[in-house]
Amino acid sequence: MFENLFWIGFVGAIIALLFAWVQSRKVLKFSEGTDLMKKIAASIRDGANAYLKRQYSTVAKVFVVVFIVLLIIAFGSGGAMLSKFTPFAFVTGGIWSMLAGFVGMKIATLSNARTAQAASESLNRGLRVAFSSGSVMGFTVVGLGMLDITIWYFLLYYAFGVTDANVLANIMVMNGMGASFMALFARVGGGIYTKAADVGADLVGKVEAGIPEDDPRNPATIADNVGDNVGDVAGMGADLYESYVGSILATFALSAVAGYSFAGILLPMLLAVVGIICSIIGSFLVRTKEDASQMSLLTSLRTGTYTAAILAAIAAAPLTWFLLKDTAQNPWGVYAAILAGLIGGCAIGYFTEYFTSDSYKPTQKLSDSSETGSATVIIGGLSLGMKSTLAPIIIVAAAVLVSFFASGGAQSYGAGLYGIGIAAVGMLSTLGITLATDAYGPVADNAGGIAEMSGLPEEVRERTDALDSLGNTTAATGKGFAIGSASLTALALLVSYVDIVQTNTVETLDLSLTNPLILVGLFIGAMLTFVFSAFTMSAVQTAAQSIVVEVRRQFREIAGIMEGKADPDYAACVSLCTKGALREMVAPALLAIIVPIITGVVLGPVGVVGLLGGVSVTGFAMAVFMSNAGGAWDNAKKYIEADHHGGKGSDCHKAAVVGDTVGDPFKDTSGPSLNILIKLCSTVSIVFSGLVVSFNLMGML
């Protein structure tokens, strides 16, 4: 019976995409403001489109190569090493992920000037425009994710006759590789672009020349605003698309392990559909009053996200009972796992907010450290970031334990593992509104830049700064949420990998810590986290240096820039950022793909288990540390700019700018990329598991 109810996925996809379309029409009805505002917005839009066009063409070449490799493995082995459907699912997953990021970026670049103009009328109006733009991103991601999963289910079940639940689930879990692949390129490339421009603009503009942020005299200003869209919108969209799809597909595979058949496969789909509806309801509750404080702005967004989570929790109870009452020993235990995921997601968001918002003591204390110079700001930010790992790790650990044992893990190992997977789905069920609050941030940031460059009144800039500061916090919250969900999804994928490998070999896998293959794999996984972070940080450094040189050249050679009598060459900085990002993104992306395969070929499937464990644990902690430290540095700077510790231009402000500059690649490049790394390693390992089982050095000894 349950196998014929998956049409509900199409319903959820249509609802989400229709709501995204309605929100986009609402945004486009607002005015873009003056001719100058329209001109600036058009420059940002052209730069973003040019970058994505070149990025997608570069990634397409890599996709073709990987597709051919997968095709050879699948058809060369007659489907023994790899499902014949996987190469094609790889391509479709990449296309859907790309499309999600592109749509989000498109609406963001159409909304920035409109947000600035709306903010000139009222704070609430500016918030509504920016949040509606973010909603387009959020609901496009979940809509396309549901569409991708549902189409492949119908193709496999009805067109190709794959009617065995276990076989179908194990085929579909491999479908996430394309989305992971695309997400990594989008996140890394976009992150390098945005932070190269940002760092270059800050170092020469604010630190050396002493001009304000987003000053039109700064040649890197347009590139900086372009970067907000290609990194924090398109990159984040592709990132969370991959998390969303990956968590659902991993739970499919774990349903097979638990023996829940199609009922267990249908549950995450229904939770996702319910989450879409609840997110839509919550989005209508986001509004604020004029002259609202940072705390009241946060409260307005919390009202929407928490309401959506509560409604999803209520709706999940009857769904879980209806689907699992005949197959699960304790359906209410599975429901408890869903609650653990939902509550865990909200809790991670809260603690991320606590450590990064200037409404709380940690960031305020960090701003105090600027009194003694940039060195103490950097030390304080590093310390804050390390401290901030405590709460998310405990929350995820608690969610894992609760979901495992509540689902019946003590009696049935498979049932417990299914509980962990469904907890990840629960955490991501309200992704529509969660991502909306995240994607809102870059739009507000761009609006502030346009307000500055077009010379709007000071009160407009104050409103956009308030929205931008809120955006920094919501972005940090979104990154924390993405990292937390990534850890649960990666764990679910790890278990799926073990199950798939075990079914393809007669030997019982020795997964004890005393096995030297596990230990070596753990060390390799931990190493991969640090080397990957080093590659992405170095990429930002290299690209930023080229921007610094170019901005200095223009200040030196173009007469009249500082007096406002001549226009900078914005296009030169945009072109440099584009070339630098595309060149530097390849090495870390390939590292994430090649290392798991080489580890498997040398150490065998057991070594890969160690690697996945090592990269998941260290990657999770490192990602939280980097994202929160970077967010705190940014908001500490903005706290000083709000007339604390001497305000803009003071020595304290200059020290905070240095901290913010260090934090930029932390929070927007390396940190967010790590959650994709831990999931991509898992999906690559699953896809190539057949190859590793058949050919590995340890098996030949």
Side-chain angles (χ1 to χ4, degrees):
M1 175 183 75
F2 294 126
E3 59 267 32
N4 297 317
L5 294 178
F6 278 80
W7 54 265
I8 198 73
F10 286 122
V11 175
I14 291 169
I15 292 172
L17 294 174
L18 185 61
F19 183 73
W21 179 80
V22 170
Q23 291 296 93
S24 69
R25 303 310 302 172
K26 183 192 296 185
V27 170
L28 295 177
K29 288 180 180 178
F30 287 88
S31 169
E32 278 195 287
T34 65
D35 289 340
L36 180 56
M37 292 169 68
K38 292 177 182 177
K39 181 182 177 182
I40 296 168
S43 297
I44 295 171
R45 191 156 51 247
D46 291 344
N49 286 333
Y51 170 77
L52 285 189
K53 183 179 179 180
R54 292 183 64 174
Q55 183 191 56
Y56 292 155
S57 63
T58 302
V59 174
K61 297 172 184 175
V62 182
F63 260 76
V64 169
V65 173
V66 176
F67 172 75
I68 293 172
V69 171
L70 295 176
L71 210 63
I72 292 170
I73 295 173
F75 285 86
S77 67
M81 293 184 186
L82 185 68
S83 167
K84 294 179 180 180
F85 301 107
T86 300
F88 305 99
F90 168 77
V91 173
T92 60
I95 291 172
W96 287 117
S97 178
M98 176 195 71
L99 186 60
F102 177 78
V103 170
M105 187 277 298
K106 198 74 175 177
I107 191 65
T109 56
L110 290 170
S111 305
N112 45 21
R114 289 177 167 85
T115 300
Q117 178 61 25
S120 68
E121 300 172 28
S122 73
L123 182 64
N124 184 58
R125 201 170 175 86
L127 175 64
R128 289 302 307 173
V129 175
F131 183 76
S132 294
S133 170
S135 296
V136 177
M137 172 84 270
F139 288 93
T140 298
V141 165
V142 297
L144 292 178
M146 290 299 296
L147 197 60
D148 183 20
I149 294 170
T150 310
I151 288 174
W152 269 105
Y153 175 86
F154 271 75
L155 282 173
L156 291 171
Y157 190 88
Y158 292 104
F160 296 102
V162 183
T163 56
D164 184 278
N166 294 0
V167 175
L168 187 145
N170 285 336
I171 290 174
M172 289 200 66
V173 76
M174 299 184 185
N175 290 5
M177 182 179 167
S180 297
F181 206 72
M182 185 67 226
L184 186 64
F185 277 103
R187 208 32 154 154
V188 173
I192 294 169
Y193 185 112
T194 184
K195 292 306 107 179
D198 199 358
V199 170
D202 285 353
L203 285 178
V204 186
K206 288 194 289 188
V207 177
E208 294 182 8
I211 58 179
E213 188 172 7
D214 299 315
D215 193 295
R217 294 172 292 179
N218 195 327
T221 296
I222 294 294
D224 186 9
N225 283 281
V226 169
D228 290 335
N229 294 286
V230 300
D232 294 337
V233 179
M236 175 59 86
D239 176 0
L240 284 173
Y241 175 92
E242 180 252 358
S243 286
Y244 187 72
V245 171
S247 67
I248 294 172
L249 294 178
T251 309
F252 280 11
L254 294 177
S255 174
V257 178
Y260 292 161
S261 189
F262 285 102
I265 296 176
L266 183 60
L267 180 58
M269 291 283 288
L270 285 177
L271 286 177
V273 174
V274 166
I276 290 170
I277 297 169
C278 296
S279 294
I280 291 173
I281 296 171
S283 67
F284 289 112
L285 303 177
V286 179
R287 58 185 72 249
T288 191
K289 298 178 181 178
E290 194 59 32
D291 300 322
S293 65
Q294 183 72 197
M295 184 58 71
S296 61
L297 286 169
L298 282 169
T299 300
S300 70
L301 291 180
R302 275 197 208 132
T303 301
T305 54
Y306 288 176
T307 300
I310 292 168
L311 291 175
I314 295 170
L319 287 177
T320 306
W321 172 257
F322 172 71
L323 289 171
L324 299 183
K325 64 180 189 305
D326 296 325
T327 52
Q329 291 184 349
N330 184 13
W332 294 118
V334 177
Y335 175 65
I338 296 169
L339 287 183
L342 274 167
I343 295 170
C346 292
I348 288 173
Y350 171 78
F351 281 104
T352 303
E353 178 188 308
Y354 174 76
F355 279 103
T356 58
S357 172
D358 62 17
S359 299
Y360 299 99
K361 286 185 178 180
T363 298
Q364 293 176 3
K365 186 177 178 181
L366 180 60
S367 71
D368 294 342
S369 67
S370 64
E371 296 281 354
T372 50
S374 56
T376 48
V377 171
I378 292 172
I379 293 170
L382 293 173
S383 172
L384 184 151
M386 292 176 187
K387 285 179 187 175
S388 72
T389 62
L390 175 66
I393 287 176
I394 289 177
I395 290 167
V396 169
V400 168
L401 291 174
V402 169
S403 58
F404 181 84
F405 288 105
S407 301
Q411 293 78 39
S412 170
Y413 190 65
L417 296 177
Y418 180 81
I420 295 172
I422 207 69
V425 176
M427 186 177 286
L428 288 165
S429 60
T430 56
L431 180 63
I433 190 169
T434 304
L435 184 51
T437 62
D438 192 337
Y440 141 93
V443 176
D445 193 358
N446 267 206
I450 291 171
E452 181 75 32
M453 287 185 280
S454 57
L456 293 183
E458 185 62 29
E459 64 264 22
V460 179
R461 184 64 207 236
E462 289 175 1
R463 290 168 183 163
T464 58
D465 278 350
L467 295 174
D468 183 23
S469 184
L470 174 65
N472 286 331
T473 301
T474 60
T477 302
K479 291 181 181 78
F481 179 83
I483 295 162
S485 63
S487 65
L488 285 178
T489 302
L491 181 57
L493 289 168
L494 169 59
V495 174
S496 299
Y497 169 79
V498 172
D499 181 65
I500 290 170
V501 169
Q502 192 61 79
T503 58
N504 291 327
T505 182
V506 294
E507 298 180 12
T508 302
L509 300 178
D510 179 9
L511 303 180
S512 66
L513 281 176
T514 55
N515 186 339
L517 297 178
I518 290 286
L519 286 172
V520 172
L522 285 169
F523 279 116
I524 294 172
M527 173 274 298
L528 181 58
T529 296
F530 284 86
V531 174
F532 178 86
S533 300
F535 267 95
T536 51
M537 292 286 290
S538 177
V540 173
Q541 175 197 351
T542 303
Q545 284 176 326
S546 67
I547 300 299
V548 169
V549 171
E550 174 61 21
V551 174
R552 285 172 176 170
R553 183 194 67 79
Q554 292 196 33
F555 279 158
R556 185 176 61 252
E557 297 180 5
I558 302 177
I561 282 186
M562 296 305 293
E563 294 79 19
K565 297 177 181 179
D567 292 329
D569 184 0
Y570 299 120
C573 290
V574 171
S575 178
L576 276 175
C577 281
T578 300
K579 293 176 182 176
L582 294 177
R583 182 178 61 252
E584 299 293 334
M585 75 176 183
V586 176
L590 291 179
L591 189 72
I593 299 164
I594 293 171
V595 171
I597 297 174
I598 293 176
T599 301
V601 171
V602 175
L603 300 180
V606 173
V608 175
V609 173
L611 177 143
L612 297 181
V615 75
S616 296
V617 172
T618 57
F620 178 34
M622 180 76 87
V624 173
F625 155 65
M626 286 184 143
S627 294
N628 288 351
W633 272 318
D634 196 349
N635 276 338
K637 177 201 68 176
K638 283 187 164 50
Y639 185 73
I640 294 172
E641 291 174 345
D643 294 326
H644 297 93
H645 301 289
K648 289 184 180 179
S650 65
D651 288 340
C652 290
H653 182 239
K654 291 177 181 177
V657 169
V658 174
D660 179 38
T661 305
V662 174
D664 276 335
F666 268 47
K667 68 181 175 67
D668 290 324
T669 307
S670 299
S673 297
L674 283 169
N675 66 42
I676 305 173
L677 172 71
I678 63 178
K679 290 174 294 183
L680 181 59
C681 286
S682 297
T683 54
V684 167
S685 299
I686 289 172
V687 168
F688 289 96
S689 59
L691 176 67
V692 170
V693 170
S694 302
F695 302 100
N696 67 83
L697 183 61
M698 291 296 108
M700 299 176 184
L701 296 178

